[in-house]
């Protein structure tokens, strides 16, 4: 009877929670049913934390945790350092999954695309929301492959902190440098996790030294490994002077014990830890004045008496100031060291309110959010990921897009859990949300509650700007910085199976472009073919595969082409006259201009006006001249590639009254093309930074092969038992290199590529290329 009474009381508690918000409750129940229906590959997911089980929380704390308890973090690293495996372990220990996913088995939560599961790589960044010890963590797993650099860039834009994962046997690798530079650009505080400590050749000291030397960062050693390689069995917590040992018989790594280091049991380990802790205290004291005063005042005689909490608070401040990076270690695959990493995320990485965003003061608590990613779902349509900076987001409300200058309505609001989504009634500042119903919002757009809210913020920004005498326009101050989209380096034609399918292909490409701004699609004006421009071979291959799987179109790709550019070598003058009569109107324009090469690199032409014409030109005529110059530079005279590093000076522009601006632009474009044809020209080709990791046995054939590919070797470094070849190689020579390298080294070597710059081709290579293009060779 008493059991029944307890059951009834518990039911009453649960039901009162469920009716806490009637609409919200029914939506969550419905979405939980949906989650159960759409579970992929038989993985078992826990429900929303707190709704089921012993730990019953209020719905309010689940949906809107206090802002100080929120952590928006990303996991970033070189390809194959173990980002996705680390994410899987984090989700498992936080209770969001009930079984461990494995990249090799293709059943991970965040790699949910078919291409990701087949290749064992991350292509899209996936957002996951979970709780850890009272903290709400929004985690984003990002790609490490250079073709998907933009994915990393647009996620770092909205994060408050990041975990940089390193392979302990390799230390800092090529793509690690790239993502680290991106994090520096967005001023993201980060902590380092030295993964794969169980791998043969793993070296804690080597990895720490590479962080110090290559990333120019100051590592704070918060942990030391107990053993390396096959002998790795746990870590030492330097701050608390404790050792953490994982049970070797445990399958999932949940079972570990934390023991204080004692003189009697571990004299050597205790001595090492004490020395490391003293060094850590001195390091932090050098970087943080408040902590230095505390240490020199109360604890100058004996550092051992310094409480761990005081040291942790100081490390948090130093991490936030980005003057140093905390370093932890472990092995995600062997389930060791992940729980302390989660503790470090909550202790040392900042909450949204600790990140200083200047623009928030203009909004005074009104809604301000940034759309940082768009996905297309077949059932729901476009899904837009948003980071909320201030105010609250609710479904069935209208929002104003400042970039697109349009108003749209959010139909539903979801909490992202990789490709599982849970419906919620509202979300507050600091969180990452997923919105349904926005048809026009694209990556990098700033979203506010209404147009009047944007105008009010604009007035506040203008008043403040006048006080500080700042020159930038209020529109710029209101817009959150979007994402810089890199120029594509590869292109190829794409054809539908039949002309009847062309509209379907156009729709598929439009959807994919909204998801991935680094993919460019253009129409060849001569042949009428659709041209696909991407960041690399893998990028274009994945897009082709997605069109086939997601849109059911068997498309045909033409051969991959390299995106060359053109430049001129000398200064040339040209004059042109356009005389047309359309209807009863005469359009007459005469243009005289000069085109000359520039020292600095610029993709767009630099427009200049001679003193004789600068005062007489109207704004409309200036715009028409600039439009004509820009359109002429899109197709150069040699290969039809864009012309760069060009300065155009207007010397004379005579316009007959009534002449349209379109005619002015057409005349300028024709005149500039005439000038470009007269000039001496050269082709610029993309040059790639190449890094090949190869064993000593295969070093000679790899170097011989690179010499044949017009490669320029900068240096050869030693890394444990391997050699790392660093150099430059033209992109045209590196197509299909992965297959050749596998053959040469019996599959033992790896390589990474990154665009360095555009470089002039030598005359012999240029004439060979032109002969090939003209069909003469």
């Amino acid at each position: 009877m008493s059991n029944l009474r307890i059951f009834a009381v518990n039911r009453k508690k649960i039901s009162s929670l469920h009716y806490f918000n009637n609409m919200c409750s029914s939506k969550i129940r419905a979405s939980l049913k949906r989650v159960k229906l759409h579970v992929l590959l038989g993985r078992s997911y826990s429900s929303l934390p707190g709704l089921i089980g012993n730990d019953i929380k209020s719905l309010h704390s689940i949906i809107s945790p206090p802002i100080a308890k929120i952590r928006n973090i990303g996991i970033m690293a070189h390809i194959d350092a173990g980002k996705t495996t680390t994410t899987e372990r984090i989700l498992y220990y936080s209770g969001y999954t009930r079984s461990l996913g494995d990249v090799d088995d293709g059943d991970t939560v965040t790699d949910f695309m078919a291409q990701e599961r087949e290749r064992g790589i991350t292509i899209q960044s996936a957002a996951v929301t979970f709780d850890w010890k009272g903290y709400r963590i929004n985690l984003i797993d990002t790609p490490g492959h250079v073709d998907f650099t933009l994915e990393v860039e647009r996620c770092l834009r909205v994060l408050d902190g990041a975990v940089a994962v390193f392979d302990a046997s390799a230390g800092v690798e090529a793509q690690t440098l790239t993502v680290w530079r991106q994090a520096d650009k967005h001023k993201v505080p980060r902590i380092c996790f030295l993964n794969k400590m169980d791998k043969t050749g793993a070296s804690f000291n080597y990895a720490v030294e590479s962080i110090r030397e290559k990333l120019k960062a100051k590592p704070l050693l918060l942990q030391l490994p107990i053993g390396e390689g096959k002998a790795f069995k746990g870590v030492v917590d330097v701050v608390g002077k404790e050792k953490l040992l994982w049970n070797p018989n445990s399958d999932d790594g949940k079972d570990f014990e934390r023991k204080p280091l004692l003189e009697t049991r571990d004299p050597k380990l205790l001595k090492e830890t004490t020395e490391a802790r003293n060094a850590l205290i001195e390091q932090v004291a050098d970087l943080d004045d408040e902590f230095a005063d505390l240490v020199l005042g109360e604890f100058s005689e004996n550092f051992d008496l310094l409480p761990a909490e005081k040291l942790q608070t100081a490390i948090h401040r130093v991490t936030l100031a980005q003057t140093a990076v905390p370093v932890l270690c472990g092995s995600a695959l062997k389930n060791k060291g992940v729980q302390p990493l989660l503790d470090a995320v909550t202790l040392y990485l900042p909450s949204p309110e600790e990140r200083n965003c200047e623009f928030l003061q203009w909004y005074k608590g009104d809604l301000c959010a940034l759309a940082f990613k768009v996905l297309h779902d077949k059932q729901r349509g476009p899904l837009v990921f948003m980071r909320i900076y201030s105010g609250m987001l609710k479904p069935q409300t209208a929002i104003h897009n400042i970039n697109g200058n349009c108003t749209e309505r959010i139909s539903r609001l979801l909490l992202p859990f990789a490709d599982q989504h849970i419906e919620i009634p509202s979300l507050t500042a600091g969180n990452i949300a997923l919105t349904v119903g926005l048809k026009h919002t694209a990556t990098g757009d700033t979203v506010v509650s209404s147009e009047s809210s944007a105008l009010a913020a604009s007035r506040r920004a203008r008043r403040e700007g006048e006080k500080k005498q700042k020159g930038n326009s209020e529109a710029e101050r209101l817009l959150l910085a979007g994402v810089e989209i890199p120029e594509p380096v590869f292109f190829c034609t794409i054809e539908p199976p039949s002309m009847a399918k062309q509209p379907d292909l156009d729709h598929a490409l439009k959807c994919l472009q909204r998801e991935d701004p680094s993919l460019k699609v253009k129409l060849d004006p001569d042949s009428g073919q659709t041209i696909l421009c991407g960041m690399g071979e893998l990028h274009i291959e994945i897009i082709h595969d997605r069109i086939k799987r997601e849109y059911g179109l068997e498309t045909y790709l033409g051969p991959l082409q390299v995106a060359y550019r053109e430049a001129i070598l000398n200064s040339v003058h040209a004059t042109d006259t356009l005389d047309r009569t359309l209807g009863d109107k005469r359009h007459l324009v005469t243009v005289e201009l000069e085109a000359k090469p520039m020292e600095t690199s610029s993709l767009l032409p630099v427009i200049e006006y001679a003193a004789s014409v600068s005062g007489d030109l109207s704004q409309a005529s200036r715009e028409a001249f600039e439009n004509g110059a820009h359109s002429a530079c899109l197709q150069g005279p040699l290969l039809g590639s864009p012309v760069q590093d060009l300065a155009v000076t207007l010397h004379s522009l005579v316009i007959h009254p009534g002449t349209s601006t379109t005619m002015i632009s057409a005349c300028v474009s024709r005149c500039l093309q005439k000038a470009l044809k007269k000039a001496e020209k050269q082709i610029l080709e993309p040059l790639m930074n190449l890094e090949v990791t190869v064993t000593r046995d295969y070093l000679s054939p790899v170097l011989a092969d690179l010499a044949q590919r017009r490669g320029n070797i900068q240096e050869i470094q030693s890394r444990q038992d391997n050699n790392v070849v660093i150099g430059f190689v033209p992109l045209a020579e590196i197509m299909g290199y992965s297959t050749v390298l596998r053959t040469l080294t019996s599959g033992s070597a790896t390589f990474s590529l990154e665009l360095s710059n555009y470089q002039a081709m030598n005359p012999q290579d240029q004439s060979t290329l032109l002969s090939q293009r003209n069909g003469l060779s």
Side-chain angles (χ1 to χ4, degrees), residues 177-316:
L177 278 163
T178 307
V179 291
W180 195 270
R181 279 198 299 269
Q182 287 174 316
D184 280 339
K185 179 173 146 191
H186 293 293
K187 298 185 171 59
V188 177
R190 62 218 88 142
I191 56 181
C192 299
F193 180 61
L194 305 183
N195 191 22
K196 304 194 179 185
M197 281 303 303
D198 62 309
K199 190 175 168 183
T200 307
S203 167
F204 182 77
N205 291 337
Y206 170 78
V208 169
E209 200 52 45
S210 75
I211 291 171
R212 189 179 282 117
E213 297 229 331
K214 292 183 183 173
L215 301 178
K216 304 290 182 274
K218 291 181 180 168
L220 301 175
L221 306 187
L222 307 190
Q223 289 180 350
L224 298 174
I226 302 174
E228 285 178 351
K230 295 277 182 281
F232 178 67
K233 57 177 190 260
V235 296
V236 172
D237 177 2
V238 173
V239 176
K241 286 169 76 173
E242 295 173 318
K243 65 176 179 180
L244 284 69
L245 293 174
W246 274 261
N247 183 347
N249 303 320
S250 167
D251 291 337
D252 61 3
K254 274 192 174 178
D255 187 11
F256 71 98
E257 53 182 349
R258 190 184 278 270
K259 291 180 181 173
L261 287 170
L262 300 172
E263 184 73 52
T264 50
R265 274 201 307 241
D266 308 289
K268 191 180 173 195
L269 201 54
L270 179 64
K271 184 171 179 268
E272 274 180 42
T273 308
T274 307
E275 284 171 7
R277 191 174 191 265
N278 291 347
L280 177 67
I281 290 168
E282 285 170 13
Q283 234 182 323
V284 175
D286 281 345
L287 300 167
D288 186 85
D289 293 341
E290 190 183 327
F291 184 67
D293 294 341
L294 177 76
V295 170
L296 293 171
E298 295 177 45
F299 305 103
S300 56
E301 298 301 316
N302 189 356
F303 284 171
D304 290 347
L305 299 174
L306 181 76
E309 295 76 32
K310 300 274 188 196
L311 182 52
Q312 284 166 349
T313 308
I315 293 168
H316 176 81

Side-chain angles (χ1 to χ4, degrees), residues 478-497:
L478 290 186
L479 292 176
L480 308 176
V483 179
E484 281 178 34
I485 296 164
E487 285 296 315
V489 290
F490 269 117
F491 65 91
C492 66
T493 56
I494 183 166
E495 298 283 344

Side-chain angles (χ1 to χ4, degrees), residues 586-598:
R586 188 184 180 199
H587 300 268
L588 176 62
V589 192
T590 303
V591 178
E592 186 190 337
L593 53 77
E594 178 192 9
K596 59 184 180 209
M598 272 185 359

Side-chain angles (χ1 to χ4, degrees), residues 357-409:
C357 297
E358 189 186 316
F359 56 83
L360 286 183
Q361 57 187 316
W362 321 132
Y363 286 98
K364 302 281 185 197
D366 273 357
L367 173 69
C368 175
L370 179 75
F372 68 95
K373 186 172 172 63
V374 180
L375 287 179
H376 279 84
D377 185 282
K378 281 182 182 166
Q379 278 78 36
R380 301 184 183 114
L383 303 176
V384 181
F385 281 87
M386 285 206 187
R387 161 71 197 267
I388 309 171
Y389 285 94
S390 70
M392 185 184 277
L393 209 53
K394 288 182 178 177
Q396 302 303 327
T397 52
I399 52 120
H400 180 69
N401 180 337
I402 297 182
N403 300 62
N405 196 21
C406 61
T407 300
E408 297 189 83
R409 181 171 288 276

